[in-house]
Amino acid sequence: MVATLAAAACLVGMAAFPRLVVASGRPQRAIDKAPFGRAGEQPVEIYTLTNIHGIEARIMTYGATIVSLKTPDRAGQFRNIVLGFDSIDAYLAGVPYFGATVGRYANRIANGRFTLDGKTYQLPQNDGVNSLHGGRQGFDKRIWSATTSQTPHGQELRLTYVSAAGEEGYPGALTAHVIYRLGDDDTLAIEYQATATAPTPVNLANHAYFNLSGDPTHPILGHRLTLNADRYTPVDATLIPTGELRSVAGTAFDFRAPYEIGSRINDSDEQLARGHGYDHNWVLNQQQPGTMTLAAVLQDPDSGRSLEIRTTQPGLQFYSGNFLNGKPAGNGGSVFEYRTGLCLETQHFPDSPNQAAFPSTLLLPGHVYSEKTILAFRTLK
Ligand code: GLA
């Protein structure tokens, strides 16, 4: 989706937003800022956004990362529904993109290579032969600058990162903005905008691992998932799409009605074997490219938490946490076991720079990359 440059211009110069008391006796609508340690020499800050129902999102400037997201279950009990850590050190020790903004190109690019205007660009091959999530030092490992504001639609945190020309092998400088907006309608909107000084592929996505039970020791196999997609992109042995848009009908990839994630994950299926479970991109059913569309509904029948995801993006990578292995991540001592979190990454299709038939991810100078995803937190009866 491409908008005008004027839309990006209004992203600059926002002032800090003080805590706002809505009414006594009710949760306070607020944005608070606190230190969250250091990444090398650079200070990291964490922002806490709260809405009038007490829903709380904590987001840090390292990786523009959602650290925690507290929502109520059907009895009104608030718990954190994303995998994350209380200390920056755990993230610095290396975690698989927990809650982070991934870029400059989320997902895989085959052999870490693409050609633009006759020139071949080589990216870091950090996932076997492929490049994954922007390379070795992707946007998830960068410090973003932050401003906050109040809007009629909720509390806003705007994070900005300027990626230099040539960083991780990508052409042109890219100025990227991620805007998190927590509304009193119990939604967290995530907006992405970017401009470039030279033609470059761009694909920005959030990599939160959800566990709606609020208990990160509890596997996600009992969650029920619906995906608004008639087709998905099957992959080769290195998880690069073959180019086919395959019908989900009659397969374990058909989530057009709610299915328990665990119900078919062990089916004998070449694609499930290649992904070690689900680790694929679904082709969302959109009326028009770039229009906001219902993408996914995730429900935990036990806690009664439900998450609805809408997006302007054409694809959704559903990853069932197959590489979580129970090893301590970081020095906080926390462990996240196999399949105790799942990702629903709204994004463009993997390897689009090498697949001419996929929706284009090319951003040209003078244009604005613009995408939006809305997470809505609901409860079941
Ligand atoms: C993505 C990929 C997975 C895995 C995770 C991080 O979602 O599709 O294969 O690499 O990131 O572990």
Side-chain angles (χ1 to χ4, degrees), residues 219-230:
I220 45 72
L221 296 173
H223 283 32
R224 281 195 308 238
L225 179 65
T226 311
L227 295 174
N228 181 18
D230 295 336

Side-chain angles (χ1 to χ4, degrees), residues 95-98 102 107-108 127 132-133 207 209 239 275 278-280 317-324 343 345 347 350:
V95 293
Y97 310 96
F98 282 8
V102 282
N107 217 310
R108 294 177 173 80
D127 185 62
L132 176 68
H133 295 330
H207 207 293
Y209 288 69
L239 300 187
Y278 296 106
D279 194 357
H280 297 77
Q317 181 91 5
F318 164 37
Y319 165 58
S320 50
N322 315 311
F323 297 124
L324 297 175
C343 302
E345 304 155 53
Q347 55 170 15

Side-chain angles (χ1 to χ4, degrees), residues 208-283:
Y209 288 69
F210 295 102
N211 185 327
L212 299 186
S213 73
D215 174 358
T217 66
H218 197 85
I220 45 72
L221 296 173
H223 283 32
R224 281 195 308 238
L225 179 65
T226 311
L227 295 174
N228 181 18
D230 295 336
R231 294 170 300 171
Y232 75 110
T233 51
V235 290
D236 69 13
T238 71
L239 300 187
I240 293 292
T242 59
E244 181 189 351
L245 306 185
R246 186 179 290 175
S247 169
V248 296
T251 75
F253 291 79
D254 190 347
F255 284 92
R256 291 174 296 181
Y259 276 95
E260 265 191 24
I261 288 167
S263 64
R264 300 164 300 172
I265 202 166
N266 296 319
D267 280 10
S268 157
D269 179 301
E270 185 182 51
Q271 284 299 314
L272 285 173
R274 287 185 177 167
H276 306 281
Y278 296 106
D279 194 357
H280 297 77
N281 169 66
W282 270 254
V283 178

Side-chain angles (χ1 to χ4, degrees), residues 73-92:
D73 67 6
R74 64 159 70 77
Q77 291 288 330
F78 283 77
R79 287 265 185 96
N80 177 21
I81 62 160
V82 295
L83 305 190
F85 297 96
D86 282 339
S87 109
I88 185 68
D89 296 339
Y91 290 92
L92 296 176

Side-chain angles (χ1 to χ4, degrees), residues 36-44 62 88-89 92 141-143:
F36 200 57
R38 299 183 91 80
E41 293 298 299
Q42 291 178 284
V44 177
Y62 180 81
I88 185 68
D89 296 339
L92 296 176
K141 297 179 186 68
R142 308 282 176 173
I143 308 267

